[in-house]
Amino acid sequence: MTSDTRFSQEELFWQTRIFDSLSYPSVVIAPDKSVVGANKKFYDTYKLSREDIIGKMCFHIFLYKDTPCNSEDCPISKVLKSKTNHSYTIKHQYKWEERVFSPIFDDRGAVAFVISSIRDITRTKSLENQLIGVKELISRVMYSSASAIVAADRQGNIELMNSVAKELFGDYNGGEGKITHTEQLYPPGKAKEIMKMLRDEKIGSKGKLIIPRTTIVNFKGEEIEVEMSAAIIYDDTGEESATMAIYNDLKDKIKVEKQLKYTQRQLAQSEKMASLGQLAAGVAHEINNPLTGVLFYASLLLEREDLDEGAKEDLSYIVEDANRCKNIVKSLLVYSRSTDTNKNIVQINEIVEQSLKLVRDQKKFRNTKIIRYLADEMMLINADTNKLNQVIINLVINAADAMEGSGKITLNTYKDKLHKKVFLEIKDTGGGIPRENLSKIFDPFFTTKEVGKSTGLGLSIVYGIIEEHGGTISVKKTGAKGTTFVIEFPMYVPREEGPFLCNLAL
Ligand SMILES: Nc1ncnc2c1ncn2[C@@H]1O[C@H](COP(=O)(O)OP(=O)(O)O)[C@@H](O)[C@H]1O
Ligand SMILES: [Mg+2]
């Protein structure tokens, strides 16, 4: 450095001392970019001597080049021009350095020199890289998680939602919904309740909460059942800094549970029906013979000429009632599958049309609209036409009864080619079946209709016939708007004839 006449020797001494005592290696550069001095730390750090650097150009020292760098990138040019600090970081021999260039002004405020301090930022850089790595890992873990994750600040403002959460809650910061606050994630008041539980050490451990089943709302306001775990994130001083929650949609689990319950119910139902079937068959067979006797002898008596009118009338009641019993016995035998079956390959739509023809003109259907949506394709089943007519007639009569004379009955057929199933749905606009009756409607003699008007055998016969056809029948939907019964039949698939058979046929 050049000496300055304005400073005493003593001042110059301690100014040099200060320069040498700086903990960062520092170099002073003239505006022409030649190096005019360096402090002790610089010589020690880079193991250089005065001769190695004084009078050399900065690009020799800093960039180890023989030619000046592009003046636009040159930090010294920048400092000279802007009169403020400029810095850059560079990797130099396995070390990261931050080189800060600052102006040294003369009395007139012009930049007389530029001082460059070099800081070893290798450790900071490595920590920074580690942090970036950890951050990236956390973000990758979060975004690849199968659970929905939401993090919010202390005020409940949502800071982060992973893609599963965005999907679960709907359009995040995008559509009309705009979920920005945790209160929007729950039914009213629930967010506060969750925070209260989180802070309560009696529930779980402090700051942690697991709720196996709870309700959240998506941006459309729809409620969704989830399993949830939440936590308060504390900073180093133990202060609450954020909250986070992980949600798992229970939709699939609930579906499986429902399916399981349904299957269990079906199983119990079919076991019950099987034993009732045996009972019905036993009773029907036992009653059938004496009943035939009653009918035979009563009819014989009726033919006698010497009977007075009163006795004849009484006898005709006996015959009438015995015939009713006979019909019930017949129904029981159908239900218990003790009657002959005559199966053929038939188009289900044709059976539907045929059955409707049989009932259409009955008084019961006068104010009833019958609509058919019969799939326009071949839907073959192996069935006893007469028995299936009975099924459809029973179901439409029940539908008409449920509508008390006026309403709409819709018959709908379709198929599931993949699973080789053919479906028939019968839907009415009646008053529905009360929940407590659902498990009883297929039982023989169960009826909610007037005593003497109905036998309560209709659905049990239907059940027996459908079982006989390898199908199932169930109530698909019921409520105040009506009831839908669905019958599922195995689809008849003709065996494909191989080329050998074709040749033979020719
Ligand atoms: N479509 C329907 N809507 C409402 N309830 C129905 C329907 N079908 C059947 N049910 C109920 O199931 C019971 C049993 O039906 P079913 O076995 O045909 O006997 P029944 O018609 O002689 O009463 C009916 O009494 C009624 O309570
Ligand atoms: Mg009935």
Side-chain angles (χ1 to χ4, degrees):
M1 278 207 273
T2 46
S3 60
D4 194 318
T5 48
R6 287 171 304 155
F7 298 113
S8 67
Q9 277 301 314
E10 196 184 337
E11 279 174 316
L12 279 175
F13 172 75
W14 65 254
Q15 278 177 4
T16 313
R17 273 318 216 358
I18 289 173
F19 187 49
D20 275 341
S21 316
L22 289 177
S23 48
Y24 297 121
S26 305
V27 180
V28 179
I29 303 146
D32 68 359
K33 298 177 188 173
S34 63
V35 178
V36 294
N39 68 353
K40 188 167 177 302
K41 189 78 184 174
F42 182 87
Y43 292 124
D44 291 350
T45 307
Y46 297 99
K47 312 237 171 342
L48 293 169
S49 64
R50 277 175 57 80
E51 291 71 47
D52 293 328
I53 62 157
I54 304 291
K56 298 269 168 61
M57 298 307 279
C58 62
F59 44 86
H60 292 137
I61 309 294
F62 287 112
L63 300 170
Y64 325 103
K65 291 199 317 190
D66 290 332
T67 48
C69 42
N70 181 349
S71 69
E72 271 179 33
D73 297 332
C74 170
I76 296 160
S77 303
K78 284 184 188 168
V79 173
L80 290 172
K81 202 170 158 197
S82 69
K83 298 185 178 180
T84 54
N85 289 358
H86 280 277
S87 66
Y88 64 85
T89 52
I90 189 167
K91 194 166 187 195
H92 171 224
Q93 294 177 344
Y94 309 111
K95 278 186 171 181
W96 276 95
E97 288 180 351
E98 182 184 31
R99 297 173 178 174
V100 183
F101 296 82
S102 316
I104 300 175
F105 297 107
D106 63 15
D107 291 342
R108 282 168 287 122
V111 180
F113 298 101
V114 174
I115 180 167
S116 167
S117 316
I118 302 163
R119 288 165 209 190
D120 183 349
I121 54 162
T122 313
R123 196 171 146 65
T124 320
K125 200 80 184 167
S126 121
L127 286 175
E128 198 179 287
N129 283 340
Q130 271 181 36
L131 202 66
I132 291 173
V134 171
K135 256 175 113 175
E136 245 171 42
L137 182 70
I138 292 175
S139 129
R140 241 179 263 148
V141 167
M142 273 197 51
Y143 281 92
S144 55
S145 161
S147 305
I149 304 176
V150 177
D153 67 12
R154 283 175 53 198
Q155 282 74 39
N157 300 310
I158 292 173
E159 302 260 328
L160 193 148
M161 261 182 154
N162 71 352
S163 44
V164 184
K166 287 179 190 174
E167 209 173 291
L168 180 68
F169 288 100
D171 205 355
Y172 170 70
N173 270 359
E176 313 139 40
K178 286 204 176 177
I179 299 174
T180 54
H181 199 276
T182 46
E183 282 188 358
Q184 292 169 272
L185 305 179
Y186 306 96
K190 182 96 170 259
K192 282 207 176 81
E193 196 187 307
I194 288 173
M195 279 315 291
K196 220 166 129 190
M197 288 200 278
L198 263 170
R199 292 188 182 116
D200 190 340
E201 283 177 57
K202 286 187 222 111
I203 307 171
S205 52
K206 191 182 173 223
K208 290 190 173 63
L209 181 69
I210 293 176
I211 310 178
R213 197 154 177 168
T214 188
T215 310
I216 55 159
V217 284
N218 68 8
F219 88 109
K220 287 186 198 151
E222 295 162 343
E223 299 201 334
I224 303 166
E225 295 281 297
V226 294
E227 172 194 64
M228 165 186 182
S229 64
I232 296 178
I233 301 167
Y234 297 97
D235 65 14
D236 295 343
T237 63
E239 283 285 310
E240 289 179 11
S241 66
T243 55
M244 67 164 296
I246 301 174
Y247 310 88
N248 286 312
D249 192 344
L250 290 176
K251 192 169 59 220
D252 291 338
K253 209 171 155 189
I254 291 171
K255 206 165 140 190
V256 172
E257 276 173 13
K258 262 194 186 157
Q259 189 69 39
L260 197 69
K261 266 194 195 151
Y262 175 75
T263 315
Q264 278 171 342
R265 249 188 282 129
Q266 290 281 92
L267 199 68
Q269 173 79 0
S270 65
E271 273 172 14
K272 184 175 85 178
M273 297 310 269
S275 52
L276 283 175
Q278 277 175 356
L279 188 73
V283 172
H285 280 298
E286 286 303 314
I287 293 176
N288 212 16
N289 287 341
L291 203 57
T292 313
V294 171
L295 256 177
F296 178 73
Y297 290 109
S299 307
L300 266 187
L301 267 177
L302 249 181
E303 282 167 21
R304 275 181 46 178
E305 307 265 311
D306 54 340
L307 285 182
D308 63 47
E309 279 311 303
K312 264 193 181 167
E313 201 183 334
D314 291 348
L315 267 175
S316 69
Y317 287 137
I318 294 178
V319 171
E320 200 184 311
D321 282 352
N323 267 324
R324 265 187 43 204
C325 289
K326 193 106 191 135
N327 279 335
I328 291 178
V329 167
K330 222 165 101 191
S331 298
L332 280 177
L333 287 172
V334 174
Y335 161 61
S336 63
R337 299 198 234 151
S338 308
T339 54
D340 291 340
T341 310
N342 184 12
K343 284 189 189 166
N344 285 303
I345 311 303
V346 286
Q347 224 320 19
I348 189 156
N349 291 347
E350 275 172 23
I351 302 183
V352 173
E353 296 285 8
Q354 210 176 43
S355 310
L356 292 180
K357 253 188 220 152
L358 294 171
V359 292
R360 227 180 6 214
D361 301 323
Q362 280 187 26
K363 218 170 98 196
K364 213 186 259 289
F365 295 93
R366 205 166 289 157
N367 296 317
T368 306
K369 207 168 170 196
I370 300 183
I371 301 170
R372 282 155 295 171
Y373 290 117
L374 307 181
D376 193 16
E377 50 189 336
M378 276 305 262
M379 286 184 295
L380 296 178
I381 54 172
N382 189 9
D384 181 321
T385 312
N386 285 335
K387 287 192 174 181
L388 280 201
N389 280 336
Q390 269 191 64
V391 166
I392 297 168
I393 291 168
N394 266 306
L395 290 169
V396 290
I397 287 178
N398 278 350
D401 285 346
M403 300 187 303
E404 287 168 3
S406 64
K408 194 167 85 183
I409 302 174
T410 313
L411 290 104
N412 178 18
T413 56
Y414 55 96
K415 72 176 174 189
D416 174 353
K417 225 170 166 176
L418 186 69
H419 298 102
K420 299 192 172 59
K421 303 271 184 212
V422 169
F423 297 88
L424 165 63
E425 282 187 12
I426 295 167
K427 185 175 161 192
D428 62 57
T429 54
I433 304 170
R435 182 183 282 263
E436 64 273 19
N437 288 353
L438 276 174
S439 61
K440 299 181 220 155
I441 54 168
F442 295 106
D443 294 357
F445 303 112
F446 175 80
T447 180
T448 53
K449 295 168 195 170
E450 255 175 70
V451 186
K453 198 174 172 198
S454 224
T455 57
L457 279 172
L459 283 183
S460 54
I461 292 171
V462 165
Y463 191 95
I465 295 175
I466 298 299
E467 268 223 318
E468 210 175 353
H469 284 77
T472 59
I473 175 162
S474 54
V475 176
K476 185 178 175 186
K477 213 172 166 186
T478 187
K481 285 190 184 155
T483 304
T484 308
F485 278 89
V486 59
I487 306 175
E488 181 190 306
F489 292 103
M491 183 161 82
Y492 171 76
V493 189
R495 258 194 33 223
E496 272 191 37
E497 288 184 355
F500 178 63
L501 281 177
C502 285
N503 285 342
L504 269 189
L506 284 169

